[in-house]
Amino acid sequence: MATKRSGRPALRKNSPRLVGWREWVAFPELGIEAVKAKLDTGARTSALHAWDVTPFTKRGEDWVRFVVYPDQRNRSNPIASEARVADRRRVTNSGGRSEMRYIIETSLRVDGEIWNIELGLTNRDDMGFRLLIGREAMRGRLLIDPNSAFRLGR
């Protein structure tokens, strides 16, 4: 591997993007242009804090409607979204409590790059972030610098 003058390895073209442990991301398909995320390699799955999650049927498929308030500790600017249900699964949270969650598949945008991820809809009122991006969503695409936050700006 080539090295830069700093002695650090130079990143190859397809190398994972270096990000901070928290970043601003977007969900274009859900109409969410900016939400602060905690990027957490200790979490396997990703989770979004969603209110009023309501299942319904559309063209014979299972869907959910939900509301997201993308600004932490701010109940203004609600975004109403809907998505096809990819799965319902039992997930154990960081406190050891297990719950059934609706899982949707949607596009995630990080610094202009877009890819699909699975996202669990849950109540994250007790958590510090409305959005947690887990290692499955980051695999091969993002590399976390634990000493920095918001490396990519807003």
Side-chain angles (χ1 to χ4, degrees), residues 36 69-74 124-125 127-131:
K36 187 170 46 173
Y69 296 93
D71 300 321
Q72 193 73 21
R73 290 182 269 295
N74 185 346
R124 292 185 52 81
D125 266 340
M127 304 298 178
F129 289 82
R130 299 256 166 100
L131 174 63

Side-chain angles (χ1 to χ4, degrees), residues 8-70:
R8 293 187 182 143
L11 293 177
R12 285 180 261 140
K13 184 174 178 118
N14 294 326
S15 294
R17 173 172 269 124
L18 187 62
V19 297
W21 69 272
R22 40 183 186 169
E23 293 288 350
W24 289 96
V25 303
F27 292 106
E29 293 172 352
L30 301 178
I32 301 170
E33 286 303 313
V35 60
K36 187 170 46 173
K38 178 180 180 184
L39 287 78
D40 186 352
T41 60
R44 187 172 148 284
T45 58
S46 300
L48 176 66
H49 186 56
W51 282 266
D52 300 325
V53 178
T54 307
F56 69 100
T57 301
K58 183 176 181 178
R59 293 185 299 267
E61 296 181 313
D62 294 332
W63 284 63
V64 285
R65 284 188 185 96
F66 53 96
V67 176
V68 175
Y69 296 93

Side-chain angles (χ1 to χ4, degrees), residues 85-153:
V85 174
D87 197 7
R88 277 204 76 193
R89 73 180 68 126
R90 187 159 297 282
V91 177
T92 302
N93 67 20
S94 61
R97 200 181 80 210
S98 180
E99 68 177 5
M100 287 300 288
R101 291 186 187 170
Y102 286 103
I103 306 296
I104 63 172
E105 188 175 295
T106 191
S107 59
L108 170 69
R109 185 176 67 226
V110 177
D111 196 33
E113 186 178 345
I114 298 174
W115 66 95
N116 284 342
I117 69 165
E118 286 189 338
L119 187 60
L121 304 178
T122 188
N123 181 332
R124 292 185 52 81
D125 266 340
D126 297 333
M127 304 298 178
F129 289 82
R130 299 256 166 100
L131 174 63
L132 179 81
I133 303 292
R135 65 181 175 268
E136 290 298 322
M138 295 185 279
R139 189 177 311 279
R141 295 183 179 271
L142 302 176
L143 182 64
I144 299 174
D145 175 357
N147 293 313
S148 67
F150 307 116
R151 290 178 58 93
L152 306 176

